[in-house]
Amino acid sequence: MTSTSIRPSTVTAVAHPNIALIKYWGKRDEEYILPCSDSLSITLDIYPTTTTVWTHDGAADQLTINGVPADGGALRRVEQFLELVRARAQRPERLVVETVNTVPTGAGLASSASGFAALALAATRVYGLDIQDVTLSALARRGSGSASRSVYGGFSIWHAGTGRGAAGDSGSYAEPIDAAVDLALVVAVVETAAKPISSREAMSRTVRTSPLFRAWVESSRLDLAAMRAALRRGDLDTIGEIAERNALGMHATMLAARPAVRYLSQASLTVLDRVAELRRAGVGAYATVDAGPNVKVICAKAAADAVATALRELTVTREVIVAGPGPGARITAEEPR
Ligand code: DP6
């Protein structure tokens, strides 16, 4: 491998998690992380991941997460991702990666999305690769599918693209979209322990065994078209209704997997009931749930405090945080070594 010299530097990047209003659930290609359907999300202004990287003389990549050296699966996943970046940059050096998550890792609050968006940006920069936007998004996707969307602030759509393997790689990326809404997401944390089954494994099992999977892909396609129109109109109630039904459809397809995958807990259902009650009382609040029991409630910014107060009154909630649209991934420091 040939490599020109780069000026050694330490690069820090920050990225935020995103919450899908139209979910990504199911891959057509597991190695290349190519999804079966388009998805659409909003990047939040809470729980940033900060990742600092530099090259070193060692023979292997090193990773710490929140100050703790990582090994096993987490390290392998980062190494595999960095191999892709090195191949593209034609650089041989290994990296030291220090990542700090402010979100509970593995609890269905999308730490892999912010994590790989920040890593993709920091690593490409430290290896002297100048890639951005859709190219950066497609690369971040190889670390974790949802990371493709955390490259951007606000709303973004991840186009599934077509084809498999290398042929499908560059056509599967996210891009930002405009929306005319002042929306808030109220995050109701009911559990912070790591999930019993990783979303990666659960997704794979769903595709292989759920008899409802095809129907989910088809209904999600219709949901996406309706969601885009509602976002253009700034029609918050329709946005919320579609997001809620899409999330429940995703949980339905995984509940039908064999064996069943169940992320919704008693506490999640209690929050969902409360959200339905709020609606009956005239508050435009709608719920979405990812690969974990925590519930995110979509509502108008003006209603967020009232929604948060109602959710805090529930004994099942440990923490309730009001989030809004957040920024895209960005470099926050770059210093010569
Ligand atoms: C339920 O992006 O974590 O949050 O691509 O296997 O890393 P991998 O999966 P990941 O899955 C996220 C699934 C979801 C829905 C979504 O964010 O669209």
mmCIF file of all heavy atoms in Angstrom, residues 186-214:
data_model
loop_
_atom_site.group_PDB
_atom_site.id
_atom_site.type_symbol
_atom_site.label_atom_id
_atom_site.label_comp_id
_atom_site.label_asym_id
_atom_site.label_seq_id
_atom_site.Cartn_x
_atom_site.Cartn_y
_atom_site.Cartn_z
ATOM 1 N N VAL A 186 -39.834 14.383 23.563
ATOM 2 C CA VAL A 186 -39.701 14.244 25.006
ATOM 3 C C VAL A 186 -39.296 12.789 25.271
ATOM 4 O O VAL A 186 -40.040 11.861 24.960
ATOM 5 C CB VAL A 186 -41.020 14.601 25.712
ATOM 6 C CG1 VAL A 186 -40.850 14.488 27.223
ATOM 7 C CG2 VAL A 186 -41.467 16.010 25.315
ATOM 8 N N VAL A 187 -38.078 12.629 25.773
ATOM 9 C CA VAL A 187 -37.535 11.285 25.955
ATOM 10 C C VAL A 187 -37.876 10.797 27.357
ATOM 11 O O VAL A 187 -37.468 11.412 28.348
ATOM 12 C CB VAL A 187 -35.998 11.284 25.748
ATOM 13 C CG1 VAL A 187 -35.436 9.874 25.901
ATOM 14 C CG2 VAL A 187 -35.647 11.866 24.381
ATOM 15 N N ALA A 188 -38.639 9.722 27.427
ATOM 16 C CA ALA A 188 -39.013 9.140 28.727
ATOM 17 C C ALA A 188 -38.145 7.912 28.953
ATOM 18 O O ALA A 188 -38.343 6.866 28.324
ATOM 19 C CB ALA A 188 -40.489 8.765 28.734
ATOM 20 N N VAL A 189 -37.151 8.067 29.830
ATOM 21 C CA VAL A 189 -36.249 6.956 30.117
ATOM 22 C C VAL A 189 -36.881 6.102 31.205
ATOM 23 O O VAL A 189 -37.166 6.592 32.306
ATOM 24 C CB VAL A 189 -34.867 7.480 30.573
ATOM 25 C CG1 VAL A 189 -33.932 6.321 30.911
ATOM 26 C CG2 VAL A 189 -34.251 8.372 29.497
ATOM 27 N N VAL A 190 -37.127 4.828 30.864
ATOM 28 C CA VAL A 190 -37.702 3.926 31.870
ATOM 29 C C VAL A 190 -36.690 2.869 32.288
ATOM 30 O O VAL A 190 -36.864 2.181 33.278
ATOM 31 C CB VAL A 190 -38.998 3.248 31.360
ATOM 32 C CG1 VAL A 190 -40.089 4.282 31.094
ATOM 33 C CG2 VAL A 190 -38.753 2.413 30.108
ATOM 34 N N GLU A 191 -35.610 2.760 31.513
ATOM 35 C CA GLU A 191 -34.626 1.705 31.777
ATOM 36 C C GLU A 191 -33.303 2.133 31.165
ATOM 37 O O GLU A 191 -33.272 2.603 30.029
ATOM 38 C CB GLU A 191 -35.128 0.416 31.097
ATOM 39 C CG GLU A 191 -34.290 -0.801 31.276
ATOM 40 C CD GLU A 191 -34.195 -1.234 32.737
ATOM 41 O OE1 GLU A 191 -35.207 -1.684 33.299
ATOM 42 O OE2 GLU A 191 -33.086 -1.097 33.283
ATOM 43 N N THR A 192 -32.201 1.973 31.905
ATOM 44 C CA THR A 192 -30.904 2.341 31.324
ATOM 45 C C THR A 192 -29.965 1.146 31.180
ATOM 46 O O THR A 192 -28.846 1.288 30.724
ATOM 47 C CB THR A 192 -30.194 3.429 32.161
ATOM 48 O OG1 THR A 192 -30.171 2.989 33.511
ATOM 49 C CG2 THR A 192 -30.882 4.769 32.054
ATOM 50 N N ALA A 193 -30.427 -0.052 31.556
ATOM 51 C CA ALA A 193 -29.576 -1.243 31.414
ATOM 52 C C ALA A 193 -29.434 -1.584 29.934
ATOM 53 O O ALA A 193 -30.285 -1.222 29.118
ATOM 54 C CB ALA A 193 -30.202 -2.407 32.157
ATOM 55 N N ALA A 194 -28.332 -2.276 29.570
ATOM 56 C CA ALA A 194 -28.145 -2.694 28.175
ATOM 57 C C ALA A 194 -29.272 -3.635 27.787
ATOM 58 O O ALA A 194 -29.819 -4.361 28.620
ATOM 59 C CB ALA A 194 -26.792 -3.375 28.020
ATOM 60 N N LYS A 195 -29.628 -3.616 26.495
ATOM 61 C CA LYS A 195 -30.769 -4.415 26.064
ATOM 62 C C LYS A 195 -30.427 -5.912 26.020
ATOM 63 O O LYS A 195 -29.270 -6.286 25.826
ATOM 64 C CB LYS A 195 -31.257 -3.930 24.712
ATOM 65 C CG LYS A 195 -30.173 -3.703 23.693
ATOM 66 C CD LYS A 195 -30.722 -2.835 22.579
ATOM 67 C CE LYS A 195 -29.646 -2.228 21.722
ATOM 68 N NZ LYS A 195 -30.121 -1.118 20.937
ATOM 69 N N PRO A 196 -31.448 -6.761 26.166
ATOM 70 C CA PRO A 196 -31.210 -8.198 26.207
ATOM 71 C C PRO A 196 -30.717 -8.770 24.874
ATOM 72 O O PRO A 196 -30.026 -9.774 24.845
ATOM 73 C CB PRO A 196 -32.584 -8.782 26.559
ATOM 74 C CG PRO A 196 -33.573 -7.711 26.209
ATOM 75 C CD PRO A 196 -32.852 -6.414 26.397
ATOM 76 N N ILE A 197 -31.080 -8.146 23.760
ATOM 77 C CA ILE A 197 -30.623 -8.621 22.450
ATOM 78 C C ILE A 197 -30.257 -7.395 21.615
ATOM 79 O O ILE A 197 -30.982 -6.396 21.634
ATOM 80 C CB ILE A 197 -31.706 -9.508 21.755
ATOM 81 C CG1 ILE A 197 -31.329 -9.813 20.295
ATOM 82 C CG2 ILE A 197 -33.079 -8.899 21.809
ATOM 83 C CD1 ILE A 197 -32.230 -10.841 19.624
ATOM 84 N N SER A 198 -29.121 -7.447 20.944
ATOM 85 C CA SER A 198 -28.680 -6.272 20.187
ATOM 86 C C SER A 198 -29.645 -6.026 19.039
ATOM 87 O O SER A 198 -30.280 -6.950 18.517
ATOM 88 C CB SER A 198 -27.276 -6.507 19.624
ATOM 89 O OG SER A 198 -27.331 -7.427 18.563
ATOM 90 N N SER A 199 -29.754 -4.758 18.639
ATOM 91 C CA SER A 199 -30.671 -4.455 17.531
ATOM 92 C C SER A 199 -30.183 -5.160 16.270
ATOM 93 O O SER A 199 -30.981 -5.562 15.428
ATOM 94 C CB SER A 199 -30.811 -2.950 17.319
ATOM 95 O OG SER A 199 -29.571 -2.356 17.110
ATOM 96 N N ARG A 200 -28.870 -5.323 16.149
ATOM 97 C CA ARG A 200 -28.331 -5.961 14.944
ATOM 98 C C ARG A 200 -28.844 -7.393 14.818
ATOM 99 O O ARG A 200 -29.328 -7.818 13.771
ATOM 100 C CB ARG A 200 -26.801 -5.935 14.995
ATOM 101 C CG ARG A 200 -26.187 -6.409 13.710
ATOM 102 C CD ARG A 200 -24.811 -5.886 13.517
ATOM 103 N NE ARG A 200 -24.792 -4.462 13.208
ATOM 104 C CZ ARG A 200 -23.695 -3.803 12.832
ATOM 105 N NH1 ARG A 200 -22.545 -4.441 12.742
ATOM 106 N NH2 ARG A 200 -23.746 -2.523 12.554
ATOM 107 N N GLU A 201 -28.748 -8.127 15.931
ATOM 108 C CA GLU A 201 -29.188 -9.525 15.907
ATOM 109 C C GLU A 201 -30.715 -9.609 15.757
ATOM 110 O O GLU A 201 -31.239 -10.442 15.015
ATOM 111 C CB GLU A 201 -28.739 -10.182 17.215
ATOM 112 C CG GLU A 201 -28.798 -11.680 17.195
ATOM 113 C CD GLU A 201 -28.426 -12.240 18.566
ATOM 114 O OE1 GLU A 201 -27.550 -11.664 19.247
ATOM 115 O OE2 GLU A 201 -29.032 -13.255 18.953
ATOM 116 N N ALA A 202 -31.400 -8.709 16.465
ATOM 117 C CA ALA A 202 -32.866 -8.720 16.422
ATOM 118 C C ALA A 202 -33.376 -8.426 15.011
ATOM 119 O O ALA A 202 -34.330 -9.036 14.528
ATOM 120 C CB ALA A 202 -33.412 -7.691 17.401
ATOM 121 N N MET A 203 -32.699 -7.502 14.352
ATOM 122 C CA MET A 203 -33.093 -7.114 12.999
ATOM 123 C C MET A 203 -32.904 -8.292 12.044
ATOM 124 O O MET A 203 -33.768 -8.599 11.221
ATOM 125 C CB MET A 203 -32.169 -5.962 12.585
ATOM 126 C CG MET A 203 -32.763 -4.985 11.647
ATOM 127 S SD MET A 203 -31.542 -3.741 11.158
ATOM 128 C CE MET A 203 -31.609 -2.562 12.454
ATOM 129 N N SER A 204 -31.771 -8.950 12.193
ATOM 130 C CA SER A 204 -31.469 -10.088 11.330
ATOM 131 C C SER A 204 -32.492 -11.208 11.529
ATOM 132 O O SER A 204 -33.012 -11.788 10.576
ATOM 133 C CB SER A 204 -30.047 -10.561 11.665
ATOM 134 O OG SER A 204 -29.776 -11.753 11.031
ATOM 135 N N ARG A 205 -32.812 -11.485 12.787
ATOM 136 C CA ARG A 205 -33.805 -12.529 13.076
ATOM 137 C C ARG A 205 -35.169 -12.175 12.500
ATOM 138 O O ARG A 205 -35.887 -13.021 11.971
ATOM 139 C CB ARG A 205 -33.915 -12.734 14.590
ATOM 140 C CG ARG A 205 -34.837 -13.895 14.942
ATOM 141 C CD ARG A 205 -35.159 -13.938 16.422
ATOM 142 N NE ARG A 205 -33.970 -14.129 17.233
ATOM 143 C CZ ARG A 205 -33.960 -14.024 18.568
ATOM 144 N NH1 ARG A 205 -35.059 -13.722 19.226
ATOM 145 N NH2 ARG A 205 -32.846 -14.205 19.249
ATOM 146 N N THR A 206 -35.518 -10.892 12.591
ATOM 147 C CA THR A 206 -36.818 -10.460 12.065
ATOM 148 C C THR A 206 -36.894 -10.704 10.560
ATOM 149 O O THR A 206 -37.881 -11.242 10.051
ATOM 150 C CB THR A 206 -37.045 -8.958 12.359
ATOM 151 O OG1 THR A 206 -36.876 -8.713 13.751
ATOM 152 C CG2 THR A 206 -38.441 -8.520 11.937
ATOM 153 N N VAL A 207 -35.830 -10.323 9.846
ATOM 154 C CA VAL A 207 -35.836 -10.499 8.389
ATOM 155 C C VAL A 207 -35.945 -11.986 8.039
ATOM 156 O O VAL A 207 -36.692 -12.376 7.138
ATOM 157 C CB VAL A 207 -34.553 -9.897 7.756
ATOM 158 C CG1 VAL A 207 -34.509 -10.167 6.257
ATOM 159 C CG2 VAL A 207 -34.472 -8.402 8.030
ATOM 160 N N ARG A 208 -35.217 -12.807 8.787
ATOM 161 C CA ARG A 208 -35.181 -14.243 8.461
ATOM 162 C C ARG A 208 -36.442 -14.981 8.856
ATOM 163 O O ARG A 208 -36.836 -15.939 8.179
ATOM 164 C CB ARG A 208 -33.979 -14.907 9.165
ATOM 165 C CG ARG A 208 -32.658 -14.661 8.472
ATOM 166 C CD ARG A 208 -31.500 -15.347 9.174
ATOM 167 N NE ARG A 208 -31.102 -14.642 10.392
ATOM 168 C CZ ARG A 208 -31.271 -15.081 11.635
ATOM 169 N NH1 ARG A 208 -31.832 -16.250 11.861
ATOM 170 N NH2 ARG A 208 -30.886 -14.360 12.668
ATOM 171 N N THR A 209 -37.106 -14.565 9.944
ATOM 172 C CA THR A 209 -38.163 -15.438 10.482
ATOM 173 C C THR A 209 -39.547 -14.806 10.620
ATOM 174 O O THR A 209 -40.510 -15.526 10.846
ATOM 175 C CB THR A 209 -37.762 -15.986 11.881
ATOM 176 O OG1 THR A 209 -37.789 -14.907 12.833
ATOM 177 C CG2 THR A 209 -36.384 -16.633 11.878
ATOM 178 N N SER A 210 -39.660 -13.479 10.525
ATOM 179 C CA SER A 210 -40.983 -12.898 10.792
ATOM 180 C C SER A 210 -41.888 -12.972 9.555
ATOM 181 O O SER A 210 -41.556 -12.394 8.508
ATOM 182 C CB SER A 210 -40.851 -11.436 11.228
ATOM 183 O OG SER A 210 -42.144 -10.878 11.354
ATOM 184 N N PRO A 211 -43.032 -13.626 9.670
ATOM 185 C CA PRO A 211 -43.941 -13.685 8.532
ATOM 186 C C PRO A 211 -44.558 -12.315 8.210
ATOM 187 O O PRO A 211 -45.159 -12.130 7.154
ATOM 188 C CB PRO A 211 -45.023 -14.685 8.979
ATOM 189 C CG PRO A 211 -44.934 -14.717 10.460
ATOM 190 C CD PRO A 211 -43.517 -14.377 10.837
ATOM 191 N N LEU A 212 -44.403 -11.361 9.117
ATOM 192 C CA LEU A 212 -44.969 -10.023 8.878
ATOM 193 C C LEU A 212 -43.975 -9.072 8.211
ATOM 194 O O LEU A 212 -44.309 -7.922 7.933
ATOM 195 C CB LEU A 212 -45.426 -9.395 10.206
ATOM 196 C CG LEU A 212 -46.412 -10.184 11.076
ATOM 197 C CD1 LEU A 212 -46.921 -9.299 12.223
ATOM 198 C CD2 LEU A 212 -47.581 -10.695 10.258
ATOM 199 N N PHE A 213 -42.759 -9.558 7.986
ATOM 200 C CA PHE A 213 -41.717 -8.622 7.561
ATOM 201 C C PHE A 213 -42.024 -7.932 6.224
ATOM 202 O O PHE A 213 -41.845 -6.732 6.084
ATOM 203 C CB PHE A 213 -40.340 -9.297 7.520
ATOM 204 C CG PHE A 213 -39.252 -8.314 7.206
ATOM 205 C CD1 PHE A 213 -38.894 -7.330 8.130
ATOM 206 C CD2 PHE A 213 -38.629 -8.302 5.972
ATOM 207 C CE1 PHE A 213 -37.920 -6.378 7.836
ATOM 208 C CE2 PHE A 213 -37.662 -7.356 5.668
ATOM 209 C CZ PHE A 213 -37.302 -6.405 6.597
ATOM 210 N N ARG A 214 -42.483 -8.718 5.249
ATOM 211 C CA ARG A 214 -42.772 -8.108 3.932
ATOM 212 C C ARG A 214 -43.835 -7.019 4.051
ATOM 213 O O ARG A 214 -43.738 -5.960 3.430
ATOM 214 C CB ARG A 214 -43.289 -9.171 2.966
ATOM 215 C CG ARG A 214 -42.191 -9.882 2.239
ATOM 216 C CD ARG A 214 -42.736 -11.078 1.475
ATOM 217 N NE ARG A 214 -41.655 -11.772 0.836
ATOM 218 C CZ ARG A 214 -41.101 -11.387 -0.306
ATOM 219 N NH1 ARG A 214 -41.558 -10.332 -0.944
ATOM 220 N NH2 ARG A 214 -40.098 -12.050 -0.835
#
